[in-house]
Amino acid sequence: MKAVVMAGGEGTRLRPITSNQPKPMVPVLNKPVMEYILDLLRAKGIDDIVVTLQFLPQLIKNYFGKGVDLGVNLNYSVEEYPLGTAGSVKKAEGYLKSESFIVVSGDALTDFDLTYLIEFHRSKGSMATIALKRVENPLEFGVVFTDDEGKIERFLEKPTWGQVFSDTVNTGIYVLEPEVFQFIPGDGEYDFSKDVFPKLLEAEEPVFGCVMDGYWCDIGNCEQYIRAHRNILDGLAGIKPPGVLLRENIWVGDGADIDLDVEMMGPVVIGQNTKIEAGADIGEYSVIGNNAIVKSGAHVHRSIVWDNSYLGPHSFVHGCVIGKNCDIGAGARLDEGVVIGNETRIGGNAVINPYVQIYPFKRIDEGAVVNTSIIWESRGMRSLFGKNGIRGLLNIDITAGYALRLAMAYGTSLKKDSSVAISQDTSRASRMLKRAMVAGLNSTGVDVNDMRIATSAMNRFHIRTSECIGGIHIRTSPFDPQSVEVHFFDRNGIDIDEGIQRSIERHFFREEFRRTYYNEIGEISFPLRTIEAYRGSLVRGLNVEKIRESRFKVVIDFCFGSASLLIPHLIGQVGCDVISINNFIDETKNTLSKEELDGALKQLSRTVRAFNADFGLLMDSGGEKVMVIDERGELIVSDSLLHLLLEFVGRLDKKKGKIAVPIDASSVVETIADRWGRKVVRTKANVRALMDAAIKSEVAYVGSRDGGHIFPQFLPAFDGIVTFLKLLEYLATLGKPPLSKMVKELPEHYMAKKSTFCSWDHKGLVMRKIKESASDKTVQILDGVKIYGNEGWTLILPDPEEPVVHVCAEAKSGREADELADEYVQLVNTIVASE
């Protein structure tokens, strides 16, 4: 059998140690990680190997040559530009088309029994077999689910936590039949996990997964790189450290010169021809490269030092990675998590503070204190975006400088001369950040439509009706007055998808910003008549005459938000009497605490009763979501409001489209939809998924469980003003019935939602175990794991931002719903406790 070793990766998450060398050449115990893969293949009798190259290919070809020294025959296939995992193998088809072959990543570390994998593949008569491994954190990998025979039923490339339905992941090791080339186009970028394997499943070709024992580590970031060394030194990886065993857990290479007065505590690896002077201290889990020099008094602990580097007298290196040919001056201090790129000089007595990264060829002055990375990216490539856009504490997490770089990253991801809309809520904090972001966008050659104070819905509307290809809205967090949120929109006016998010993150963390010439700086404009266009669009889509005839009396609490700038202009057009509360902007009142919200609802209830109003409405400060009080002063809970609007849409809307709701909405949705001949689309439980459903032409209404409602004929996003106007129209069409009567006629529903702690490392395991425990039940894995039973259903959903798992249950009574939720909370706790 032949093999393909994929060695074309840049290893961007491993920067700066991969800034000027391919990831497969990164040394592990002083030899390239790819060499371990070649050793493994040779040991299993696979010595005819094709290596696919793209990034700095000559460095790999120069080192390995034809493979004679390693006892293998190497051929090379070089890509001019990235072709993806499948595309790179397709380019090497000439070497492989005559027989089965195995594909292995050249930058992972493993001791898998490849013979067993090949035998499994042949015994199943498989077209493609994927080596699988169970891991603690599956987010960075492709999650795979198989049946009892190993046949793959579903897999998902790099999921979010809500999509994690297993801890079993794709290791990137495949055994393939040559017929697989029929499913790979001859040009362009093509990937096995995202493109080829789904095609094979669609064509009902046999695709199997084999869960492997043994060690496997995808060295994706610097933290994993250090961990891989520790695993080897602890004997977990089946790899013997190089050199002679000097004493317990201390290996020394040929020609090394170590003074007898050196303090060493194993496990430690010292490279060939390395010199360590008296008084040096080499602590556990340290690896010193070949031809390195460690001077007297130097302290090295849990660190990896590459070839030809120099550690000066009394230097302190703790928990670091130091590239090759680096010079660490006398008395310099490098703290935990510091990564130094190749050919870098750190001056004497300099201090490099924790987790700073310094890219290759830099010079740090003597005595300098470095607190931030020099051309840096965060360890592990952490995500900027959460479920509420980018959120953080003002002037701590999100500063004006941070906002500037964020806007530059966004602008760099767009074409020059593009136009972007930007808006803010009423706070000074948002105004400050908006100004910084405008400057950042202009600096990358992007024009800005500054909408000043506006609702996010107005921003989205402007994008859809102008030449803007995206937008930014900045607001104070509704959950914390000290926090701010930055939301990005695409050309459809909906939240950007994960692909655009990753593009922004990549530019942000690598600080790779486009710098334009003086005559290419973007312009700032202030759109005229946007409010009028927005109001006109709303009114044109309503039966205004019907609303006027009904003479509604409504109480609205504007919560001091920007919606107060818009609704007063609409009231006269629809002929509605409105009693306004907090109908002015107050930049200090953008957030309501729970106590303040309860107080606002009580005041709204009293006002509705006092004025004998038809209903009351509380608009959140961002103008996106609403809470409704009926004519008796009773709050219509959010689930009931969803069901009520669904009843109105199903009964009255002429457009007989589908209804979209999140996976955690009550089954009452289907009951109401069936009554009116509507089909229901279930989405993931996040805002972006709901908006994605809204832009599809066959969807007439989208509702969430937290007061957000989308009427796509107006805008494919939450808009509290539209919700208010549609509620008026529906009630007017039905002859203005009391809201309390309409709610009472809705089908009953009983739901419970609970949360329990679950560490990040256990989330994938928990989801797999829960999925396996429900093998005799109907299971849905659209978002989390949803389990159906005779008593109702339960949704187990990992939180994307916190070490928490949410459990939502619906049953025939409130008590049964609570018991069902408690049952699965207990199951989660049991699984976690057993590990």
Side-chain angles (χ1 to χ4, degrees):
M1 178 173 285
K2 294 183 179 180
V4 179
V5 174
M6 293 187 291
E10 293 186 41
T12 55
R13 293 183 298 143
L14 260 177
R15 290 184 180 181
I17 59 176
T18 54
S19 295
N20 59 343
Q21 68 179 348
K23 185 179 176 185
M25 292 300 295
V26 168
V28 172
L29 295 188
N30 300 329
K31 75 176 185 180
V33 63
M34 178 175 149
E35 191 168 335
Y36 292 99
I37 294 299
L38 298 179
D39 289 342
L40 177 65
L41 290 169
R42 185 195 65 244
K44 299 301 179 181
I46 305 171
D47 56 10
D48 198 355
I49 301 167
V50 181
V51 182
T52 63
L53 305 175
Q54 195 273 318
F55 178 65
L56 301 178
Q58 201 59 41
L59 294 181
I60 294 177
K61 294 171 74 172
N62 289 346
Y63 183 90
F64 290 104
K66 292 294 185 180
V68 176
D69 293 342
L70 297 175
V72 296
N73 175 37
L74 295 183
N75 291 284
Y76 297 97
S77 174
V78 181
E79 307 162 31
E80 295 181 4
Y81 55 89
L83 296 175
T85 55
S88 64
V89 174
K90 176 72 172 181
K91 193 173 191 303
E93 182 179 1
Y95 296 100
L96 307 165
K97 59 184 177 182
S98 61
E99 59 181 315
S100 306
F101 58 94
I102 186 168
V103 178
V104 186
S105 173
D107 51 26
L109 203 60
T110 183
D111 63 355
F112 282 171
D113 185 349
L114 301 182
T115 303
Y116 171 78
L117 177 65
I118 294 167
E119 290 174 349
F120 177 92
H121 171 82
R122 289 171 173 163
S123 70
K124 298 295 184 181
S126 180
M127 171 81 79
T129 298
I130 304 174
L132 306 177
K133 180 68 177 175
R134 287 175 179 149
V135 300
E136 291 180 342
N137 186 350
L139 281 189
E140 292 299 322
F141 312 103
V143 173
V144 180
F145 184 72
T146 64
D147 64 15
D148 294 338
E149 300 297 319
K151 191 169 185 179
I152 290 177
E153 295 180 337
R154 185 179 178 187
F155 55 85
L156 187 65
E157 185 71 8
K158 294 188 178 180
T160 62
W161 272 118
Q163 297 169 303
V164 171
F165 48 83
S166 174
D167 61 348
T168 307
V169 303
N170 176 4
T171 64
I173 300 174
Y174 314 127
V175 182
L176 305 172
E177 295 300 313
E179 288 79 10
V180 80
F181 287 117
Q182 301 171 16
F183 295 85
I184 308 174
D187 57 352
E189 188 170 346
Y190 223 65
D191 188 80
F192 278 115
S193 293
K194 291 188 292 186
D195 303 308
V196 177
F197 295 149
K199 277 191 174 183
L200 292 176
L201 292 180
E202 186 178 345
E204 299 185 351
E205 296 287 350
V207 182
F208 283 80
C210 179
V211 179
M212 303 293 290
D213 293 325
Y215 181 78
W216 174 77
C217 177
D218 174 54
I219 304 175
N221 55 48
C222 294
E223 193 173 345
Q224 292 168 346
Y225 177 65
I226 294 173
R227 188 185 307 133
H229 281 80
R230 180 165 184 166
N231 290 339
I232 295 173
L233 294 176
D234 282 339
L236 302 178
I239 295 172
K240 180 183 177 182
V244 176
L245 186 60
L246 183 65
R247 59 176 188 264
E248 186 177 359
N249 289 335
I250 296 176
W251 289 268
V252 179
D254 291 344
D257 181 3
I258 304 174
D259 193 277
L260 294 177
D261 194 28
V262 171
E263 291 284 338
M264 284 198 292
M265 178 179 293
V268 163
V269 173
I270 307 298
Q272 299 177 13
N273 303 313
T274 286
K275 179 179 178 61
I276 304 179
E277 293 185 350
D281 175 14
I282 311 298
E284 58 184 355
Y285 297 108
S286 292
V287 177
I288 311 295
N290 303 316
N291 306 306
I293 296 175
V294 182
K295 299 294 285 183
S296 176
H299 169 89
V300 183
H301 189 225
R302 295 175 180 263
S303 297
I304 302 163
V305 181
W306 290 8
D307 296 352
N308 303 307
S309 285
Y310 171 89
L311 304 186
H314 303 286
S315 57
F316 179 93
V317 178
H318 184 98
C320 304
V321 178
I322 298 175
K324 63 184 178 183
N325 300 321
C326 288
D327 182 352
I328 310 302
R333 181 183 181 93
L334 282 64
D335 277 317
E336 184 78 23
V338 166
V339 182
I340 307 296
N342 298 338
E343 310 279 353
T344 293
R345 183 187 182 281
I346 308 295
N349 297 309
V351 176
I352 314 298
N353 279 319
Y355 301 110
V356 165
Q357 296 186 348
I358 299 177
Y359 276 56
F361 309 109
K362 298 296 181 293
R363 297 291 181 267
I364 307 300
D365 293 339
E366 292 189 11
V369 178
V370 182
N371 295 308
T372 59
S373 296
I374 300 177
I375 314 297
W376 68 284
E377 67 180 7
S378 76
R379 61 182 182 130
M381 193 70 170
R382 69 178 175 86
S383 174
L384 283 174
F385 291 85
K387 57 188 177 183
N388 295 304
I390 295 176
R391 178 184 169 199
L393 294 172
L394 177 69
N395 281 337
I396 297 175
D397 299 318
I398 299 182
T399 64
Y402 180 102
L404 177 71
R405 297 198 309 275
L406 183 60
M408 292 175 72
Y410 178 44
T412 303
S413 71
L414 306 174
K415 292 181 179 180
K416 278 193 293 187
D417 299 323
S418 300
S419 293
V420 167
I422 190 166
S423 58
Q424 64 171 86
D425 70 1
T426 59
S427 69
R428 295 181 190 175
S430 298
R431 183 171 65 244
M432 174 193 74
L433 297 177
K434 186 190 73 175
R435 289 171 175 170
M437 297 193 80
V438 168
L441 288 166
N442 286 163
S443 74
T444 62
V446 173
D447 297 333
V448 175
N449 286 193
D450 187 350
M451 301 182 65
R452 292 169 280 201
I453 295 175
T455 64
S456 65
M458 276 192 61
N459 187 320
R460 298 176 195 268
F461 173 83
H462 178 72
I463 294 169
R464 291 172 64 83
T465 56
S466 70
E467 295 181 354
C468 291
I469 64 167
I472 302 172
H473 181 70
I474 309 160
R475 63 168 296 177
T476 305
S477 170
F479 311 104
D480 179 4
Q482 299 181 65
S483 296
V484 290
E485 295 177 359
V486 182
H487 296 266
F488 289 83
F489 310 140
D490 67 14
R491 64 171 61 250
N492 291 311
I494 67 175
D495 293 2
I496 59 172
D497 62 24
E498 293 172 1
I500 302 176
Q501 289 179 10
R502 284 194 291 270
S503 177
I504 295 171
E505 287 174 345
R506 184 170 61 251
H507 293 303
F508 181 86
F509 286 128
R510 290 155 68 170
E511 292 203 359
E512 295 178 350
F513 305 137
R514 181 170 61 226
R515 314 281 181 173
T516 56
Y517 291 104
Y518 72 95
N519 60 344
E520 297 177 326
I521 301 297
E523 296 182 351
I524 305 174
S525 61
F526 301 91
L528 301 174
R529 306 189 65 81
T530 302
I531 292 178
E532 290 82 353
Y534 172 75
R535 290 202 309 261
S537 175
L538 294 182
V539 173
R540 282 193 300 273
L542 294 172
N543 188 340
V544 175
E545 293 304 317
K546 201 72 175 177
I547 298 174
R548 283 177 173 274
E549 292 171 4
S550 299
R551 302 294 300 174
F552 283 100
K553 182 186 293 184
V554 182
V555 182
I556 302 179
D557 187 340
F558 292 91
C559 289
F560 309 100
S562 48
S564 62
L565 301 174
L566 299 171
I567 287 187
H569 298 275
L570 288 165
I571 291 171
Q573 291 179 274
V574 298
C576 179
D577 293 332
V578 172
I579 297 93
S580 299
I581 301 174
N582 302 319
N583 185 19
F584 59 93
I585 290 174
D586 185 339
E587 65 183 39
T588 67
K589 299 286 182 65
N590 284 288
T591 301
L592 290 180
S593 66
K594 185 179 182 305
E595 293 75 17
E596 289 171 332
L597 176 61
D598 290 341
L601 289 172
K602 288 178 181 178
Q603 180 187 19
L604 183 60
S605 175
R606 289 194 299 268
T607 309
V608 166
R609 293 196 303 270
F611 284 90
N612 197 26
D614 296 300
F615 64 90
L617 185 137
L618 184 142
M619 187 92 59
D620 79 339
S621 62
E624 294 182 337
K625 300 178 182 179
V626 299
M627 302 179 77
V628 178
I629 300 285
D630 67 21
E631 79 286 352
R632 301 176 306 168
E634 299 293 329
L635 174 67
I636 302 176
V637 296
S638 56
D639 283 316
S640 294
L641 182 59
L642 168 61
H643 300 159
L644 180 64
L645 287 169
L646 176 56
E647 175 74 20
F648 287 151
V649 170
R651 185 173 177 179
L652 301 175
D653 270 18
K654 295 178 181 179
K655 182 182 177 182
K656 296 297 181 182
K658 296 178 182 178
I659 305 299
V661 294
I663 192 171
D664 58 346
S666 166
S667 57
V668 167
V669 169
E670 278 77 12
T671 302
I672 297 174
D674 289 345
R675 180 189 304 165
W676 302 109
R678 304 276 185 154
K679 291 185 178 180
V680 175
V681 176
R682 292 277 179 167
T683 77
K684 297 173 187 175
N686 63 65
V687 175
R688 166 72 196 197
L690 291 170
M691 292 182 182
D692 273 337
I695 62 176
K696 296 176 180 176
S697 59
E698 70 272 17
V699 173
Y701 166 74
V702 182
S704 76
R705 297 188 58 211
D706 59 357
H709 304 275
I710 300 175
F711 297 88
Q713 63 269 38
F714 291 98
L715 189 71
F718 295 151
D719 189 340
I721 296 174
V722 173
T723 303
F724 164 60
L725 295 174
K726 289 298 291 183
L727 188 56
L728 290 177
E729 182 183 50
Y730 290 141
L731 290 172
T733 305
L734 292 174
K736 201 172 160 185
L739 271 179
S740 61
K741 179 176 180 295
M742 297 292 295
V743 172
K744 189 175 181 180
E745 292 173 354
L746 294 171
E748 292 185 340
H749 68 285
Y750 302 96
M751 299 183 69
K753 183 174 181 180
K754 303 189 177 184
S755 301
T756 186
F757 175 81
C758 178
S759 70
W760 296 103
D761 292 343
H762 286 123
K763 283 186 177 181
L765 171 70
V766 165
M767 301 310 289
R768 174 172 63 85
K769 292 282 190 182
I770 287 177
K771 174 72 169 61
E772 292 172 352
S773 73
S775 58
D776 59 336
K777 297 180 180 178
T778 301
V779 175
Q780 186 179 12
I781 50 177
L782 170 67
D783 197 11
V785 175
K786 190 173 185 179
I787 301 169
Y788 294 87
N790 294 330
E791 68 280 12
W793 58 261
T794 309
L795 175 67
I796 301 91
L797 186 65
D799 191 283
E801 295 182 345
E802 299 178 6
V804 168
V805 168
H806 302 293
V807 178
C808 185
E810 182 177 29
K812 298 175 182 178
S813 69
R815 179 183 58 81
E816 290 174 310
D818 276 330
E819 291 175 352
L820 196 55
D822 286 337
E823 175 187 339
Y824 280 91
V825 165
Q826 183 59 45
L827 178 57
V828 171
N829 293 337
T830 300
I831 293 170
V832 172
S834 66
E835 291 300 310

